[in-house]
Amino acid sequence: MAKKKSVSGEDRKLKQKEFNKKRARIAKQRSEIIKSLGFKVKDHSSKRYWKESRFNEWVRSVERERQKKNDLYLQIYWKEKTGTTFDSPNNIVNQFKKEYSHMSQEYLIKSIQGFMTARLPAEIGTVQMTVIKGSQLKSYRNFMRNFDSMKMIDMHDWILVYEGKGVRYKELLLAVHTVMRLLYDNEEKAQFISDLILKYLPQVNMKNAKRLAKDLRWRDF
């Protein structure tokens, strides 16, 4: 059998020198990337020596988070106006969303259409919508949650029924269905659907705004 060639001390030193040079070059490149992301290198120094796959995934996660903060989101809030309901408004919203979560999209659409003219013996609710940047979602949620207490009014707070970009259509339908079930005034129901389709949803998802208008046969779209 042929003997394995022994590695001399000089060869080991040379290989180590090449390895160190390569490592230093990669660290320098990553320092520039870290700075380009707006971070101080000293706060993320160890990342310069991570495996390539791990470092790249960290960069992608930072970029995704920043994109999310700049993206627009639709928020739909509901509130029981009289403050006389016996159950927690949050429980009421969750109850209806859960109760109809197993229903098909076709059923939800027909049910929403039915609510347009029905006056159910339900809570006297009202609705509010907004389109907001991802970076402001949490602060606006807190603002709406404490809106009435800031005004020193003894009423229920606004409940967040939906928050998203309108991508998951059934999730959106469930939220719309819940709001329609918890509104009493038919004019307010019609105004809610009109504002959602014409004003708010197109800002975050025009495709599903058109789809909802078509499914509900909304005349003004």
Side-chain angles (χ1 to χ4, degrees):
M1 286 180 65
K3 291 183 178 180
K4 292 183 179 179
K5 292 182 179 179
S6 60
V7 179
S8 68
E10 285 298 319
D11 288 339
R12 281 196 296 269
K13 287 180 181 180
L14 185 60
K15 286 184 178 181
Q16 187 63 46
K17 186 176 180 181
E18 289 299 319
F19 173 80
N20 290 342
K21 283 174 65 177
K22 182 180 179 181
R23 193 167 184 259
R25 184 173 67 252
I26 292 173
K28 185 177 180 181
Q29 291 171 349
R30 291 182 178 177
S31 293
E32 294 303 315
I33 293 172
I34 291 169
K35 285 191 284 187
S36 73
L37 293 171
F39 298 119
K40 292 180 179 179
V41 175
K42 67 177 183 178
D43 295 334
H44 297 271
S45 182
S46 63
K47 294 183 176 66
R48 298 180 300 161
Y49 306 104
W50 282 359
K51 287 184 178 180
E52 183 178 6
S53 58
R54 186 184 179 192
F55 181 79
N56 290 341
E57 178 54 35
W58 174 73
V59 171
R60 285 193 292 268
S61 69
V62 171
E63 291 173 340
R64 282 195 299 267
E65 189 61 29
R66 290 190 175 174
Q67 181 61 48
K68 180 181 177 181
K69 287 181 178 180
N70 289 323
D71 283 350
L72 293 176
Y73 289 78
L74 168 67
Q75 288 184 333
I76 302 176
Y77 291 89
W78 172 84
K79 180 175 70 172
E80 208 283 320
K81 288 193 284 189
T82 65
T84 58
T85 181
F86 293 105
D87 199 358
S88 158
N90 220 354
N91 289 344
I92 293 169
V93 168
N94 291 333
Q95 172 195 330
F96 284 120
K97 289 174 81 172
K98 184 178 181 180
E99 184 177 337
Y100 291 94
S101 62
H102 65 285
M103 298 298 184
S104 67
Q105 292 183 9
E106 292 74 20
Y107 177 91
L108 291 172
I109 290 163
K110 288 181 180 178
S111 188
I112 290 169
Q113 290 171 324
F115 286 150
M116 290 297 298
T117 54
R119 277 193 170 161
L120 302 172
E123 291 69 25
I124 310 299
T126 189
V127 65
Q128 182 165 314
M129 291 179 283
T130 188
V131 170
I132 194 166
K133 278 189 174 184
S135 59
Q136 300 171 314
L137 288 174
K138 185 176 180 180
S139 60
Y140 198 78
R141 271 187 236 121
N142 291 335
F143 170 76
M144 291 299 288
R145 190 180 298 121
N146 300 302
F147 183 80
D148 288 323
S149 59
M150 287 189 293
K151 293 174 67 178
M152 305 302 289
I153 298 176
D154 186 20
M155 290 170 63
H156 290 306
D157 297 326
W158 289 97
I159 306 300
L160 181 64
V161 181
Y162 178 82
E163 180 178 277
K165 296 190 280 187
V167 176
R168 294 178 179 143
Y169 192 57
K170 185 174 180 180
E171 184 181 336
L172 177 66
L173 284 177
L174 271 171
V176 174
H177 186 273
T178 299
V179 171
M180 291 292 283
R181 172 63 180 81
L182 293 171
L183 293 177
Y184 180 78
D185 185 81
N186 287 340
E187 288 186 10
E188 189 166 6
K189 293 177 189 176
Q191 190 64 54
F192 163 60
I193 295 296
S194 179
D195 287 346
L196 176 64
I197 290 175
L198 299 177
K199 183 177 178 182
Y200 292 99
L201 189 53
Q203 295 184 60
V204 297
N205 196 317
M206 177 59 79
K207 179 181 177 182
N208 277 341
K210 291 179 178 179
R211 182 179 179 183
L212 184 61
K214 182 180 179 181
D215 286 344
L216 295 180
R217 299 174 184 173
W218 200 251
R219 57 197 177 279
D220 298 326
F221 197 82

